[in-house]
Short mmCIF file of all heavy atoms in Angstrom, two decimals:
data_model
loop_
_atom_site.label_atom_id
_atom_site.label_comp_id
_atom_site.label_asym_id
_atom_site.label_seq_id
_atom_site.Cartn_x
_atom_site.Cartn_y
_atom_site.Cartn_z
N THR A 1 -16.85 7.93 12.86
CA THR A 1 -16.17 7.32 11.71
C THR A 1 -14.61 7.51 11.85
O THR A 1 -14.16 8.48 12.44
CB THR A 1 -16.60 7.89 10.38
OG1 THR A 1 -16.28 9.29 10.42
CG2 THR A 1 -18.10 7.72 10.16
N ASN A 2 -13.93 6.58 11.31
CA ASN A 2 -12.46 6.64 11.37
C ASN A 2 -11.92 6.78 9.92
O ASN A 2 -12.21 5.98 9.13
CB ASN A 2 -11.84 5.41 11.98
CG ASN A 2 -12.14 5.33 13.47
OD1 ASN A 2 -11.80 6.30 14.20
ND2 ASN A 2 -12.82 4.29 13.91
N ALA A 3 -11.10 7.77 9.73
CA ALA A 3 -10.42 7.91 8.50
C ALA A 3 -9.24 6.94 8.36
O ALA A 3 -8.46 6.87 9.29
CB ALA A 3 -9.98 9.33 8.23
N VAL A 4 -9.15 6.20 7.29
CA VAL A 4 -7.99 5.38 7.12
C VAL A 4 -7.50 5.57 5.68
O VAL A 4 -8.17 6.21 4.83
CB VAL A 4 -8.33 3.88 7.29
CG1 VAL A 4 -8.68 3.61 8.73
CG2 VAL A 4 -9.43 3.43 6.39
N LEU A 5 -6.35 4.96 5.39
CA LEU A 5 -5.80 5.10 4.07
C LEU A 5 -5.84 3.68 3.43
O LEU A 5 -5.46 2.78 4.04
CB LEU A 5 -4.32 5.55 4.14
CG LEU A 5 -3.62 6.07 2.95
CD1 LEU A 5 -4.33 7.38 2.42
CD2 LEU A 5 -2.22 6.39 3.27
N ALA A 6 -6.45 3.66 2.19
CA ALA A 6 -6.46 2.37 1.46
C ALA A 6 -5.32 2.41 0.50
O ALA A 6 -5.24 3.41 -0.25
CB ALA A 6 -7.86 2.17 0.83
N VAL A 7 -4.56 1.37 0.50
CA VAL A 7 -3.37 1.35 -0.48
C VAL A 7 -3.66 0.25 -1.43
O VAL A 7 -3.91 -0.91 -1.10
CB VAL A 7 -2.09 1.07 0.39
CG1 VAL A 7 -0.90 0.96 -0.55
CG2 VAL A 7 -1.92 2.09 1.50
N GLU A 8 -3.49 0.61 -2.72
CA GLU A 8 -3.62 -0.38 -3.79
C GLU A 8 -2.37 -1.17 -3.86
O GLU A 8 -1.25 -0.67 -3.99
CB GLU A 8 -3.90 0.35 -5.13
CG GLU A 8 -4.17 -0.58 -6.23
CD GLU A 8 -4.75 0.18 -7.40
OE1 GLU A 8 -5.93 0.33 -7.50
OE2 GLU A 8 -3.93 0.65 -8.24
N PRO A 9 -2.47 -2.53 -3.67
CA PRO A 9 -1.29 -3.38 -3.52
C PRO A 9 -0.64 -3.76 -4.89
O PRO A 9 -0.30 -4.91 -5.10
CB PRO A 9 -1.80 -4.57 -2.79
CG PRO A 9 -3.17 -4.75 -3.32
CD PRO A 9 -3.73 -3.31 -3.53
N VAL A 10 -0.50 -2.79 -5.71
CA VAL A 10 0.05 -3.05 -7.02
C VAL A 10 1.43 -2.29 -7.12
O VAL A 10 1.39 -1.05 -7.08
CB VAL A 10 -0.89 -2.68 -8.20
CG1 VAL A 10 -0.22 -2.88 -9.53
CG2 VAL A 10 -2.15 -3.46 -8.07
N CYS A 11 2.46 -2.99 -7.31
CA CYS A 11 3.85 -2.31 -7.36
C CYS A 11 3.84 -1.36 -8.55
O CYS A 11 3.43 -1.70 -9.70
CB CYS A 11 4.85 -3.42 -7.52
SG CYS A 11 6.52 -2.81 -7.49
N THR A 12 4.41 -0.24 -8.28
CA THR A 12 4.54 0.83 -9.35
C THR A 12 5.75 0.58 -10.22
O THR A 12 5.90 1.29 -11.19
CB THR A 12 4.64 2.22 -8.76
OG1 THR A 12 5.79 2.20 -7.82
CG2 THR A 12 3.41 2.64 -7.97
N HIS A 13 6.52 -0.43 -9.99
CA HIS A 13 7.66 -0.73 -10.84
C HIS A 13 7.21 -1.50 -12.15
O HIS A 13 7.30 -0.99 -13.22
CB HIS A 13 8.72 -1.62 -10.06
CG HIS A 13 9.82 -1.96 -10.93
ND1 HIS A 13 10.24 -3.33 -11.06
CD2 HIS A 13 10.71 -1.24 -11.68
CE1 HIS A 13 11.26 -3.29 -11.86
NE2 HIS A 13 11.56 -2.12 -12.24
N ALA A 14 6.61 -2.70 -11.92
CA ALA A 14 6.15 -3.48 -13.12
C ALA A 14 4.83 -4.12 -12.82
O ALA A 14 4.45 -5.03 -13.62
CB ALA A 14 7.19 -4.41 -13.51
N GLY A 15 4.12 -3.73 -11.79
CA GLY A 15 2.76 -4.18 -11.66
C GLY A 15 2.52 -5.49 -10.89
O GLY A 15 1.44 -6.00 -10.91
N CYS A 16 3.54 -5.98 -10.24
CA CYS A 16 3.32 -7.19 -9.37
C CYS A 16 2.48 -6.78 -8.15
O CYS A 16 2.39 -5.65 -7.81
CB CYS A 16 4.68 -7.76 -8.94
SG CYS A 16 5.64 -8.49 -10.25
N THR A 17 1.95 -7.81 -7.56
CA THR A 17 1.19 -7.56 -6.34
C THR A 17 2.16 -7.51 -5.17
O THR A 17 3.00 -8.43 -5.03
CB THR A 17 0.16 -8.66 -6.10
OG1 THR A 17 -0.72 -8.74 -7.26
CG2 THR A 17 -0.66 -8.50 -4.88
N VAL A 18 2.05 -6.51 -4.33
CA VAL A 18 2.94 -6.42 -3.13
C VAL A 18 2.23 -7.11 -1.98
O VAL A 18 1.03 -7.21 -1.92
CB VAL A 18 3.26 -4.96 -2.77
CG1 VAL A 18 4.00 -4.26 -3.93
CG2 VAL A 18 1.97 -4.11 -2.51
N ASP A 19 3.10 -7.63 -1.09
CA ASP A 19 2.57 -8.24 0.08
C ASP A 19 2.81 -7.42 1.43
O ASP A 19 3.92 -6.94 1.56
CB ASP A 19 3.33 -9.64 0.33
CG ASP A 19 2.97 -10.57 -0.72
OD1 ASP A 19 1.75 -10.72 -1.06
OD2 ASP A 19 3.86 -11.23 -1.27
N TRP A 20 1.75 -7.31 2.19
CA TRP A 20 1.92 -6.57 3.46
C TRP A 20 2.62 -7.49 4.44
O TRP A 20 2.27 -8.59 4.66
CB TRP A 20 0.50 -6.21 4.01
CG TRP A 20 0.48 -5.59 5.31
CD1 TRP A 20 -0.10 -6.13 6.47
CD2 TRP A 20 1.02 -4.39 5.64
NE1 TRP A 20 0.09 -5.24 7.48
CE2 TRP A 20 0.72 -4.15 7.03
CE3 TRP A 20 1.75 -3.35 5.00
CZ2 TRP A 20 1.13 -3.01 7.72
CZ3 TRP A 20 2.18 -2.18 5.61
CH2 TRP A 20 1.84 -1.98 7.03
N GLN A 21 3.71 -6.89 5.04
CA GLN A 21 4.53 -7.56 6.07
C GLN A 21 4.11 -7.00 7.36
O GLN A 21 4.65 -5.87 7.70
CB GLN A 21 6.05 -7.43 5.80
CG GLN A 21 6.42 -7.75 4.45
CD GLN A 21 6.36 -9.27 4.18
OE1 GLN A 21 6.83 -10.05 4.93
NE2 GLN A 21 5.75 -9.65 3.02
N LYS A 22 3.22 -7.68 8.12
CA LYS A 22 2.70 -6.95 9.27
C LYS A 22 3.74 -6.75 10.39
O LYS A 22 3.62 -5.84 11.18
CB LYS A 22 1.38 -7.56 9.83
CG LYS A 22 1.53 -8.92 10.40
CD LYS A 22 0.14 -9.21 11.06
CE LYS A 22 -0.14 -10.61 11.55
NZ LYS A 22 0.80 -11.64 11.41
N ASP A 23 4.76 -7.58 10.49
CA ASP A 23 5.81 -7.39 11.45
C ASP A 23 6.66 -6.20 11.24
O ASP A 23 6.97 -5.44 12.11
CB ASP A 23 6.71 -8.69 11.54
CG ASP A 23 5.96 -9.89 11.91
OD1 ASP A 23 4.88 -9.79 12.53
OD2 ASP A 23 6.45 -10.99 11.62
N GLN A 24 6.97 -5.98 9.97
CA GLN A 24 7.83 -4.87 9.61
C GLN A 24 7.01 -3.63 9.20
O GLN A 24 7.57 -2.57 8.92
CB GLN A 24 8.74 -5.25 8.46
CG GLN A 24 9.70 -6.33 8.86
CD GLN A 24 10.11 -7.24 7.68
OE1 GLN A 24 10.60 -6.72 6.69
NE2 GLN A 24 9.86 -8.52 7.74
N LYS A 25 5.68 -3.76 9.04
CA LYS A 25 4.88 -2.68 8.60
C LYS A 25 5.34 -2.08 7.26
O LYS A 25 5.41 -0.83 7.14
CB LYS A 25 4.77 -1.61 9.68
CG LYS A 25 4.27 -2.08 11.07
CD LYS A 25 3.11 -1.22 11.54
CE LYS A 25 2.50 -1.62 12.82
NZ LYS A 25 2.72 -2.94 13.34
N VAL A 26 5.54 -2.97 6.34
CA VAL A 26 5.93 -2.50 4.98
C VAL A 26 5.18 -3.44 3.97
O VAL A 26 4.80 -4.51 4.31
CB VAL A 26 7.48 -2.51 4.73
CG1 VAL A 26 8.21 -1.52 5.63
CG2 VAL A 26 8.00 -3.96 4.88
N PHE A 27 5.13 -2.92 2.78
CA PHE A 27 4.71 -3.77 1.61
C PHE A 27 5.96 -4.16 0.84
O PHE A 27 6.76 -3.34 0.53
CB PHE A 27 3.79 -2.86 0.60
CG PHE A 27 2.51 -2.46 1.26
CD1 PHE A 27 2.34 -1.29 1.84
CD2 PHE A 27 1.45 -3.40 1.17
CE1 PHE A 27 1.11 -0.83 2.39
CE2 PHE A 27 0.16 -3.00 1.73
CZ PHE A 27 -0.04 -1.77 2.33
N ASN A 28 6.04 -5.45 0.63
CA ASN A 28 7.18 -6.04 -0.05
C ASN A 28 6.73 -6.52 -1.47
O ASN A 28 5.74 -7.14 -1.60
CB ASN A 28 7.56 -7.32 0.67
CG ASN A 28 8.97 -7.25 1.23
OD1 ASN A 28 9.80 -6.55 0.62
ND2 ASN A 28 9.17 -7.89 2.30
N CYS A 29 7.60 -6.20 -2.44
CA CYS A 29 7.28 -6.71 -3.75
C CYS A 29 8.26 -7.84 -4.03
O CYS A 29 9.53 -7.64 -4.06
CB CYS A 29 7.43 -5.65 -4.85
SG CYS A 29 7.09 -6.28 -6.45
N GLY A 30 7.78 -9.02 -4.29
CA GLY A 30 8.56 -10.22 -4.51
C GLY A 30 9.27 -10.26 -5.85
O GLY A 30 10.19 -11.03 -6.10
N CYS A 31 8.80 -9.40 -6.78
CA CYS A 31 9.35 -9.49 -8.14
C CYS A 31 10.78 -8.97 -8.22
O CYS A 31 11.70 -9.66 -8.73
CB CYS A 31 8.46 -8.76 -9.10
SG CYS A 31 6.97 -9.70 -9.45
N HIS A 32 11.01 -7.76 -7.84
CA HIS A 32 12.36 -7.17 -7.94
C HIS A 32 12.79 -6.53 -6.65
O HIS A 32 13.75 -5.75 -6.59
CB HIS A 32 12.40 -6.18 -9.07
CG HIS A 32 11.79 -6.59 -10.37
ND1 HIS A 32 10.51 -6.25 -10.69
CD2 HIS A 32 12.27 -7.47 -11.31
CE1 HIS A 32 10.20 -6.83 -11.87
NE2 HIS A 32 11.24 -7.60 -12.22
N GLY A 33 12.11 -6.72 -5.58
CA GLY A 33 12.52 -6.32 -4.23
C GLY A 33 12.22 -4.95 -3.76
O GLY A 33 12.76 -4.51 -2.78
N SER A 34 11.24 -4.33 -4.40
CA SER A 34 10.87 -2.96 -3.92
C SER A 34 10.16 -3.06 -2.60
O SER A 34 9.48 -4.10 -2.33
CB SER A 34 9.90 -2.24 -4.88
OG SER A 34 10.63 -1.88 -6.04
N VAL A 35 10.32 -2.08 -1.75
CA VAL A 35 9.61 -2.03 -0.45
C VAL A 35 8.95 -0.71 -0.33
O VAL A 35 9.53 0.38 -0.69
CB VAL A 35 10.68 -2.19 0.71
CG1 VAL A 35 9.96 -2.14 2.05
CG2 VAL A 35 11.38 -3.57 0.54
N PHE A 36 7.73 -0.74 0.23
CA PHE A 36 6.90 0.48 0.41
C PHE A 36 6.48 0.64 1.82
O PHE A 36 6.20 -0.42 2.49
CB PHE A 36 5.58 0.38 -0.52
CG PHE A 36 5.93 0.29 -1.95
CD1 PHE A 36 6.11 -1.00 -2.53
CD2 PHE A 36 6.09 1.42 -2.80
CE1 PHE A 36 6.36 -1.12 -3.85
CE2 PHE A 36 6.31 1.32 -4.07
CZ PHE A 36 6.47 -0.01 -4.66
N GLY A 37 6.41 1.87 2.29
CA GLY A 37 5.86 2.05 3.66
C GLY A 37 4.34 1.91 3.75
O GLY A 37 3.69 1.76 2.71
N PRO A 38 3.78 1.93 4.95
CA PRO A 38 2.32 1.78 5.11
C PRO A 38 1.55 2.83 4.45
O PRO A 38 0.37 2.70 4.24
CB PRO A 38 2.18 1.80 6.62
CG PRO A 38 3.44 2.32 7.20
CD PRO A 38 4.53 2.12 6.23
N ASP A 39 2.13 4.01 4.13
CA ASP A 39 1.47 5.03 3.44
C ASP A 39 1.64 4.95 1.94
O ASP A 39 1.27 5.84 1.24
CB ASP A 39 1.87 6.40 3.95
CG ASP A 39 3.38 6.63 3.78
OD1 ASP A 39 4.10 5.63 3.42
OD2 ASP A 39 3.85 7.73 4.01
N GLY A 40 2.42 3.88 1.48
CA GLY A 40 2.62 3.70 0.10
C GLY A 40 3.92 4.30 -0.40
O GLY A 40 4.22 4.15 -1.58
N SER A 41 4.64 4.98 0.43
CA SER A 41 5.85 5.70 0.00
C SER A 41 6.99 4.66 -0.33
O SER A 41 7.00 3.57 0.33
CB SER A 41 6.34 6.64 1.07
OG SER A 41 6.61 5.85 2.28
N VAL A 42 7.83 4.99 -1.23
CA VAL A 42 8.90 4.07 -1.61
C VAL A 42 9.99 4.02 -0.54
O VAL A 42 10.51 5.07 -0.14
CB VAL A 42 9.56 4.53 -2.96
CG1 VAL A 42 10.68 3.58 -3.31
CG2 VAL A 42 8.51 4.53 -4.05
N LYS A 43 10.29 2.80 -0.11
CA LYS A 43 11.39 2.66 0.90
C LYS A 43 12.55 2.06 0.22
O LYS A 43 13.73 2.17 0.72
CB LYS A 43 10.94 1.73 2.01
CG LYS A 43 9.75 2.25 2.79
CD LYS A 43 10.20 3.20 3.84
CE LYS A 43 9.05 3.61 4.75
NZ LYS A 43 9.09 5.03 5.03
N ARG A 44 12.34 1.30 -0.85
CA ARG A 44 13.45 0.73 -1.55
C ARG A 44 13.18 0.57 -3.02
O ARG A 44 12.08 0.18 -3.39
CB ARG A 44 13.77 -0.65 -0.95
CG ARG A 44 15.16 -1.17 -1.37
CD ARG A 44 15.32 -2.67 -1.19
NE ARG A 44 15.26 -3.02 0.16
CZ ARG A 44 14.99 -4.27 0.58
NH1 ARG A 44 14.69 -5.21 -0.34
NH2 ARG A 44 14.98 -4.59 1.88
N ALA A 45 14.21 0.95 -3.85
CA ALA A 45 14.07 0.89 -5.31
C ALA A 45 14.04 -0.64 -5.71
O ALA A 45 14.40 -1.46 -4.82
CB ALA A 45 15.26 1.61 -5.96
N PRO A 46 13.79 -0.97 -6.94
CA PRO A 46 13.72 -0.18 -8.09
C PRO A 46 12.44 0.62 -8.29
O PRO A 46 12.46 1.56 -9.10
CB PRO A 46 13.84 -1.15 -9.28
CG PRO A 46 13.26 -2.45 -8.69
CD PRO A 46 13.64 -2.40 -7.28
N ALA A 47 11.39 0.42 -7.61
CA ALA A 47 10.21 1.32 -7.75
C ALA A 47 10.60 2.73 -7.36
O ALA A 47 11.41 2.97 -6.42
CB ALA A 47 9.08 0.81 -6.83
N ASN A 48 10.09 3.71 -8.08
CA ASN A 48 10.38 5.05 -7.73
C ASN A 48 9.15 5.94 -7.65
O ASN A 48 9.21 7.17 -7.42
CB ASN A 48 11.40 5.77 -8.74
CG ASN A 48 10.89 5.66 -10.18
OD1 ASN A 48 9.63 5.49 -10.41
ND2 ASN A 48 11.79 5.93 -11.10
N LYS A 49 7.94 5.32 -7.72
CA LYS A 49 6.74 6.01 -7.46
C LYS A 49 5.91 5.32 -6.37
O LYS A 49 5.99 4.07 -6.28
CB LYS A 49 5.91 6.04 -8.71
CG LYS A 49 6.32 7.06 -9.75
CD LYS A 49 5.38 7.32 -10.83
CE LYS A 49 5.18 6.20 -11.70
NZ LYS A 49 5.06 5.93 -12.97
N PRO A 50 5.28 6.13 -5.48
CA PRO A 50 4.56 5.49 -4.42
C PRO A 50 3.38 4.69 -4.88
O PRO A 50 2.84 4.88 -5.94
CB PRO A 50 4.05 6.73 -3.60
CG PRO A 50 4.17 7.87 -4.50
CD PRO A 50 5.22 7.64 -5.50
N LEU A 51 2.95 3.78 -4.02
CA LEU A 51 1.67 2.98 -4.33
C LEU A 51 0.57 3.97 -4.36
O LEU A 51 0.53 4.94 -3.60
CB LEU A 51 1.48 1.93 -3.17
CG LEU A 51 2.50 0.77 -3.04
CD1 LEU A 51 2.15 -0.07 -1.83
CD2 LEU A 51 2.63 0.01 -4.31
N LYS A 52 -0.46 3.57 -5.13
CA LYS A 52 -1.61 4.39 -5.26
C LYS A 52 -2.46 4.25 -3.96
O LYS A 52 -2.63 3.15 -3.39
CB LYS A 52 -2.48 3.96 -6.42
CG LYS A 52 -3.56 4.85 -6.89
CD LYS A 52 -3.99 4.49 -8.26
CE LYS A 52 -5.05 5.27 -8.83
NZ LYS A 52 -5.86 5.98 -8.84
N THR A 53 -2.90 5.39 -3.42
CA THR A 53 -3.75 5.32 -2.22
C THR A 53 -5.03 6.00 -2.45
O THR A 53 -5.23 6.86 -3.35
CB THR A 53 -2.99 6.02 -1.08
OG1 THR A 53 -2.69 7.39 -1.36
CG2 THR A 53 -1.69 5.29 -0.73
N TYR A 54 -6.00 5.67 -1.62
CA TYR A 54 -7.35 6.20 -1.60
C TYR A 54 -7.73 6.63 -0.20
O TYR A 54 -7.29 5.95 0.75
CB TYR A 54 -8.38 5.17 -2.10
CG TYR A 54 -8.07 4.58 -3.44
CD1 TYR A 54 -7.39 3.41 -3.53
CD2 TYR A 54 -8.58 5.20 -4.56
CE1 TYR A 54 -7.10 2.86 -4.76
CE2 TYR A 54 -8.40 4.68 -5.87
CZ TYR A 54 -7.61 3.49 -5.95
OH TYR A 54 -7.36 2.95 -7.18
N GLN A 55 -8.52 7.70 -0.12
CA GLN A 55 -9.13 7.99 1.22
C GLN A 55 -10.17 7.01 1.51
O GLN A 55 -10.89 6.68 0.64
CB GLN A 55 -9.71 9.41 1.16
CG GLN A 55 -8.67 10.55 0.89
CD GLN A 55 -7.63 10.56 1.95
OE1 GLN A 55 -7.86 10.33 3.13
NE2 GLN A 55 -6.37 10.79 1.53
N ALA A 56 -10.24 6.55 2.73
CA ALA A 56 -11.25 5.57 3.11
C ALA A 56 -11.72 5.91 4.53
O ALA A 56 -11.02 6.64 5.27
CB ALA A 56 -10.74 4.21 3.03
N LYS A 57 -12.89 5.42 4.84
CA LYS A 57 -13.32 5.59 6.29
C LYS A 57 -14.09 4.33 6.66
O LYS A 57 -14.64 3.58 5.88
CB LYS A 57 -14.11 6.83 6.47
CG LYS A 57 -15.41 6.85 5.66
CD LYS A 57 -16.15 8.20 5.90
CE LYS A 57 -17.44 8.24 5.03
NZ LYS A 57 -18.25 9.36 5.35
N ILE A 58 -14.05 4.13 8.02
CA ILE A 58 -14.73 3.00 8.50
C ILE A 58 -16.02 3.41 9.16
O ILE A 58 -16.04 4.32 9.98
CB ILE A 58 -13.81 2.27 9.57
CG1 ILE A 58 -12.53 1.74 8.90
CG2 ILE A 58 -14.60 1.12 10.25
CD1 ILE A 58 -11.52 1.25 9.91
N GLU A 59 -17.16 2.81 8.68
CA GLU A 59 -18.40 3.10 9.30
C GLU A 59 -19.04 1.82 9.68
O GLU A 59 -19.44 0.97 8.95
CB GLU A 59 -19.32 3.79 8.22
CG GLU A 59 -19.17 5.26 8.15
CD GLU A 59 -20.17 5.93 7.27
OE1 GLU A 59 -21.13 5.28 6.93
OE2 GLU A 59 -19.91 7.11 6.89
N GLY A 60 -19.06 1.57 10.99
CA GLY A 60 -19.58 0.34 11.52
C GLY A 60 -18.62 -0.79 11.05
O GLY A 60 -17.49 -0.76 11.18
N ASP A 61 -19.26 -1.75 10.30
CA ASP A 61 -18.51 -2.89 9.79
C ASP A 61 -18.05 -2.64 8.39
O ASP A 61 -17.50 -3.61 7.76
CB ASP A 61 -19.29 -4.14 9.86
CG ASP A 61 -19.54 -4.59 11.29
OD1 ASP A 61 -18.79 -4.19 12.16
OD2 ASP A 61 -20.62 -5.32 11.48
N THR A 62 -18.24 -1.50 7.89
CA THR A 62 -18.03 -1.24 6.43
C THR A 62 -16.88 -0.26 6.24
O THR A 62 -16.71 0.71 6.96
CB THR A 62 -19.25 -0.60 5.79
OG1 THR A 62 -20.41 -1.42 6.17
CG2 THR A 62 -19.14 -0.61 4.26
N VAL A 63 -15.97 -0.62 5.26
CA VAL A 63 -14.93 0.27 4.87
C VAL A 63 -15.41 0.97 3.58
O VAL A 63 -15.63 0.20 2.59
CB VAL A 63 -13.66 -0.45 4.68
CG1 VAL A 63 -12.54 0.51 4.27
CG2 VAL A 63 -13.20 -1.19 5.92
N LEU A 64 -15.51 2.23 3.60
CA LEU A 64 -15.93 2.96 2.49
C LEU A 64 -14.70 3.60 1.82
O LEU A 64 -13.92 4.32 2.45
CB LEU A 64 -16.88 4.08 2.82
CG LEU A 64 -18.19 3.57 3.49
CD1 LEU A 64 -19.01 4.78 4.02
CD2 LEU A 64 -18.99 2.77 2.56
N VAL A 65 -14.49 3.34 0.52
CA VAL A 65 -13.34 3.83 -0.17
C VAL A 65 -13.76 4.89 -1.13
O VAL A 65 -14.66 4.66 -1.94
CB VAL A 65 -12.56 2.66 -0.87
CG1 VAL A 65 -11.40 3.26 -1.65
CG2 VAL A 65 -12.10 1.71 0.15
N LYS A 66 -13.09 6.04 -1.16
CA LYS A 66 -13.40 7.06 -2.07
C LYS A 66 -12.42 6.92 -3.28
O LYS A 66 -11.23 7.10 -3.13
CB LYS A 66 -13.19 8.39 -1.42
CG LYS A 66 -13.70 9.59 -2.13
CD LYS A 66 -13.63 10.83 -1.28
CE LYS A 66 -13.84 12.11 -2.08
NZ LYS A 66 -13.24 13.27 -1.52
N ALA A 67 -13.00 6.54 -4.41
CA ALA A 67 -12.14 6.25 -5.51
C ALA A 67 -11.72 7.56 -6.23
O ALA A 67 -12.35 8.57 -6.13
CB ALA A 67 -12.89 5.43 -6.55
FE1 FES B 101 7.76 -4.77 -7.93
FE2 FES B 101 9.49 -4.83 -9.87
S1 FES B 101 7.37 -5.16 -9.97
S2 FES B 101 9.89 -4.44 -7.81
#
């Protein structure tokens, strides 16, 4: 099994949905311009709290998320 990190794509600033930018490997929030790293950490304000993350693992074709 492979451990991965599941990131909830909800901006911690005002709750907009963030978009994964696979070229830059960041999550972008279109509402006010916050940027988050692949681990959910804040790269650019106005958000000041990281995205919520969950421990997850891959078993075969299934991704199991620990809530
Ligand atoms: Fe994402 Fe404001 S809701 S930057």
Side-chain angles (χ1 to χ4, degrees):
T1 61
N2 288 304
V4 294
L5 198 61
V7 179
E8 187 165 270
V10 176
C11 186
T12 54
H13 177 236
C16 290
T17 301
V18 297
D19 291 315
W20 175 243
Q21 308 291 311
K22 70 170 167 3
D23 298 341
Q24 297 149 56
K25 302 232 182 338
V26 294
F27 293 95
N28 239 331
C29 182
C31 286
H32 314 99
S34 290
V35 179
F36 301 88
D39 59 351
S41 61
V42 179
K43 299 280 187 218
R44 195 198 293 159
N48 59 15
K49 284 194 289 220
L51 297 177
K52 194 164 180 352
T53 57
Y54 301 92
Q55 297 302 321
K57 62 182 179 175
I58 298 172
E59 276 187 14
D61 292 338
T62 309
V63 180
L64 301 172
V65 176
K66 194 173 166 199

